[in-house]
Amino acid sequence: MTNPDMQKAQDGRVLIFDTTLRDGEQSPGATMSHREKLEIAEMLDEMGVDIIEAGFPIASEGDFAAVKAIAEQTRSATICGLSRANFKDIDRAWEAVKPARSPRIHTFIGTSPLHRAIPNLTMDEMAQRIHDTVTHARNLTDNVQWSPMDATRTEWDFLRRTVEIAIKAGATTINIPDTVGYTAPVESADLIRRLIAEVEGAEDVIFATHCHNDLGMATANSLAAVEGGARQVECTINGLGERAGNTALEEIVMALKVRHDILPYDTGVDSRKIMAISRRVATVSGFPVQFNKAIVGKNAFAHESGIHQDGMLKNAETFEIMRPEDVGLSGTSLPMGKHSGRAALRAKLKELGFDVADNQLNDIFVRFKDLADRKKEVFDEDIEALVRAQGAAEQNIRLKFMRVICGTEAPQSADVILTIDGADHQVTAQGDGPVDAAFNAIKKLVPHNARLQLYQVHAVTEGTDAQATVTVRMEEDGRIVTGQSADTDTVVASARAYITALNRLLVKRALTGAGTDTKSVSYKDAG
Ligand code: KIV
Ligand code: ZN
């Protein structure tokens, strides 16, 4: 047998293909830095993910460099790079993944009528393009994945024909994407079952499922595809991804574990690493996890009502179908307070999934002490919020001082000092409320045309001394950036989040000329 993935599948494994760093990173505003991508890839590798889609190498120099570095550093997982259906993309993807111990090229083309209209190809022309590009990729490596984008809205005859061509040309994995989250579980299972039954050569390849969550059915559709015979599930941490996101890795892993009675397949993923990577991805992507998200939400293992609490105390299984420890939540959490030292903080950070360098630890420690002086109890969520805000120290624009006048008498005003490139600048501005006044003051010192797309506040823990986490998302000429900060003072957290977003915008302005940003690469197949 030439394909080791086939062996795993025959041994009852469902391969986990994580695309957090490619499809997940495509969410508007979720851009991660080079260092953060390497860190997430290492966590994915350590938790036992089979294939990591590390990026879209043709999209930008940054994407190429990240995929290549991930290929060089990864010890176990296969490293995959995405490419459109043209030789230039495929060659670039190969350049990036080739240092990997196990490299894979993933090439795709939109096969549905709507997607065929974009490059304006007839069915025959597209069939020829698929043959040529998959053959080209297969001449570079024996691990080639092919995807008919928008497969679930492609005419059956054409889908069957294109899959057959890709297999004949040498594809080893056929991925069936539900690109717009349109399918439903029964249909998802049937489609894979039918492809396996009717496509010539189907027995020699792995079928994969790649579902988006537009109708909230991504995970159900992926599991149904597994029932239909798919042996690779494509997913992202926290379900990160375009629009409503993708199938969530943690949901697939835990569903296969908890319902092994009806879905008798294993994954190679160590579920106890789920919580740590979920928190890390939330931090670096700037996309907080919703409180009631399955498996990884703050409330997933919280029991509020008296009846539930009573049941839990008598037997945890009354209201829990999995143990918190199974996903890496430790029952014995170290309490943290103003007497905790650096070593305890480092241990706590490690438990929460943060492996910080010494200089970062020093900075977080100073702010931890400051918070512990102001707050009775410092919870895990407070510490996560501190790490999230940690990048502020490295920024060009920093908040040095702020005093806000607010109350029942308008107008509210903010007196602000910003340190910009080392020099202090002071300004006073008014606004409709203290946050508006603070933002107006910052904008006076750092003029820009970015539009505020999102301003969101949530309390990290309970109590009036709780820290507020503020998320700000802004858009300027198609560049979307997010900033996040936490403080016991909501207005201070808001100003810092706004400043973080502005710093990121400045970096993006400098780095992204036209056509160099991942999100500006179109899926048009011309090349
Ligand atoms: O959703 C999709 O169709 C994709 C393809 C590029 C596989 O992400
Ligand atoms: Zn996708």
Side-chain angles (χ1 to χ4, degrees):
M1 185 174 302
T2 50
N3 182 350
D5 291 341
M6 289 292 283
Q7 185 62 56
K8 287 190 192 166
Q10 280 166 12
D11 293 343
R13 275 275 293 275
V14 164
L15 302 169
I16 298 294
F17 175 108
D18 182 276
T19 182
T20 306
L21 298 173
R22 198 280 297 169
D23 212 328
E25 216 239 357
Q26 261 167 238
S27 326
T31 314
M32 299 172 204
S33 73
H34 184 84
R35 189 171 47 80
E36 289 162 348
K37 286 182 187 174
L38 261 59
E39 189 194 333
I40 299 298
E42 192 174 353
M43 292 177 95
L44 290 168
D45 193 32
E46 275 174 10
M47 78 192 290
V49 160
D50 298 282
I51 304 117
I52 300 172
E53 186 162 55
F56 191 2
I58 195 84
S60 69
E61 289 301 327
D63 251 42
F64 178 85
V67 177
K68 188 158 183 279
I70 290 169
E72 282 161 358
Q73 81 168 16
T74 303
R75 287 182 287 271
S76 304
T78 294
I79 301 302
C80 177
L82 184 68
S83 55
R84 291 166 297 184
N86 66 69
F87 290 4
K88 201 167 147 211
D89 270 43
I90 292 171
D91 291 343
R92 192 77 176 141
W94 176 239
E95 273 307 302
V97 297
K98 113 178 137 184
R101 192 193 54 81
S102 167
R104 174 182 293 189
I105 296 174
H106 178 191
T107 179
F108 75 97
I109 196 163
T111 49
S112 66
L114 284 164
H115 284 271
R116 288 201 302 271
I118 297 173
N120 198 16
L121 294 178
T122 64
M123 284 180 171
D124 286 345
E125 285 164 347
M126 185 165 282
Q128 186 62 45
R129 175 81 74 94
I130 295 164
H131 171 270
D132 294 349
T133 49
V134 175
T135 305
H136 183 72
R138 186 58 205 251
N139 285 336
L140 298 169
T141 172
D142 58 10
N143 195 339
V144 176
Q145 171 164 329
W146 181 74
S147 298
M149 185 166 71
D150 206 12
T152 52
R153 292 193 300 168
T154 300
E155 306 90 323
W156 163 253
D157 284 341
F158 189 56
L159 182 65
R160 190 194 46 70
R161 177 178 170 203
T162 55
V163 169
E164 216 160 78
I165 290 170
I167 294 175
K168 283 203 179 113
T172 42
T173 299
I174 299 291
N175 175 38
I176 302 300
D178 182 31
T179 305
V180 290
Y182 178 73
T183 198
V186 175
E187 192 180 69
S188 176
D190 279 354
L191 184 59
I192 300 287
R193 207 173 279 124
R194 198 166 170 202
L195 283 165
I196 292 176
E198 296 186 28
V199 166
E200 203 182 313
E203 62 287 358
D204 299 327
V205 299
I206 301 255
F207 277 86
T209 176
H210 176 114
C211 297
H212 282 264
N213 203 30
D214 299 64
L215 291 172
M217 294 195 280
T219 297
N221 288 336
S222 299
L223 290 169
V226 169
E227 280 196 84
R231 291 294 173 265
Q232 175 178 301
V233 174
E234 308 209 351
C235 46
T236 59
I237 302 293
N238 300 340
L240 197 66
E242 298 225 53
R243 309 183 309 279
N246 293 58
T247 297
L249 177 145
E250 59 277 8
E251 292 173 11
I252 293 294
V253 169
M254 292 315 290
L256 293 179
K257 205 173 164 125
V258 174
R259 295 313 312 272
H260 208 261
D261 52 335
I262 51 166
L263 292 161
Y265 308 101
D266 299 314
T267 70
V269 172
D270 178 354
S271 66
R272 290 164 308 173
K273 304 221 155 123
I274 282 178
M275 204 50 88
I277 193 164
S278 160
R279 288 173 165 163
R280 197 65 192 127
V281 167
T283 300
V284 301
S285 66
F287 275 57
V289 175
Q290 81 197 46
F291 281 12
N292 55 344
K293 175 110 180 118
I295 323 284
V296 291
K298 180 172 157 17
N299 291 354
F301 293 93
H303 303 274
E304 185 78 27
S305 83
I307 295 176
H308 283 217
Q309 287 185 352
D310 187 47
M312 284 298 297
L313 288 172
K314 292 185 173 121
N315 179 355
E317 283 181 30
T318 47
F319 290 103
E320 270 178 10
I321 55 168
M322 57 200 139
R323 292 173 312 148
E325 295 79 21
D326 293 342
V327 297
L329 275 174
S330 79
T332 53
S333 199
L334 286 175
M336 298 293 289
K338 62 179 174 194
H339 301 298
S340 307
R342 227 171 270 262
L345 180 64
R346 189 187 278 287
K348 171 58 80 181
L349 289 169
K350 210 162 175 63
E351 180 193 318
L352 296 174
F354 300 112
D355 203 0
V356 295
D358 285 348
N359 60 336
Q360 286 173 301
L361 179 71
N362 290 344
D363 178 55
I364 297 166
F365 187 66
V366 170
R367 286 180 311 110
F368 161 72
K369 282 286 178 188
D370 175 50
L371 182 66
D373 276 340
R374 288 186 283 145
K375 216 171 167 281
K376 280 198 292 290
E377 284 174 278
V378 179
F379 298 103
D380 289 0
E381 292 86 344
D382 289 317
I383 293 173
E384 279 173 43
L386 285 182
V387 182
R388 230 165 263 157
Q390 193 264 337
E394 297 150 18
Q395 300 177 347
N396 289 343
I397 310 166
R398 276 187 288 142
L399 181 67
K400 180 167 186 187
F401 168 88
M402 184 169 76
R403 180 176 295 124
V404 176
I405 299 175
C406 64
T408 51
E409 300 296 308
Q412 286 74 26
S413 71
D415 193 10
V416 168
I417 302 178
L418 295 185
T419 309
I420 305 175
D421 292 329
D424 290 348
H425 303 264
Q426 181 160 13
V427 79
T428 302
Q430 295 184 338
D432 192 0
V435 174
D436 192 46
F439 283 17
N440 287 343
I442 294 165
K443 194 168 176 182
K444 266 190 178 176
L445 292 174
V446 188
H448 60 83
N449 294 323
R451 201 172 55 84
L452 188 66
Q453 281 192 330
L454 173 90
Y455 170 73
Q456 186 178 292
V457 184
H458 71 254
V460 171
T461 53
E462 281 91 49
T464 48
D465 67 349
Q467 286 200 97
T469 288
V470 177
T471 308
V472 164
R473 187 162 77 202
M474 303 199 303
E475 187 263 344
E476 184 194 74
D477 298 332
R479 300 178 188 96
I480 299 176
V481 285
T482 53
Q484 216 174 52
S485 190
D487 199 280
T488 48
D489 184 322
T490 309
V491 188
V492 171
S494 304
R496 289 215 173 100
Y498 187 57
I499 290 168
T500 300
L502 278 178
N503 275 298
R504 290 189 172 159
L505 186 65
L506 298 187
V507 173
K508 245 186 164 178
R509 269 189 204 157
L511 289 179
T512 61
T516 55
D517 189 9
T518 306
K519 277 119 202 158
S520 71
V521 172
S522 88
Y523 279 161
K524 197 164 175 291
D525 305 293

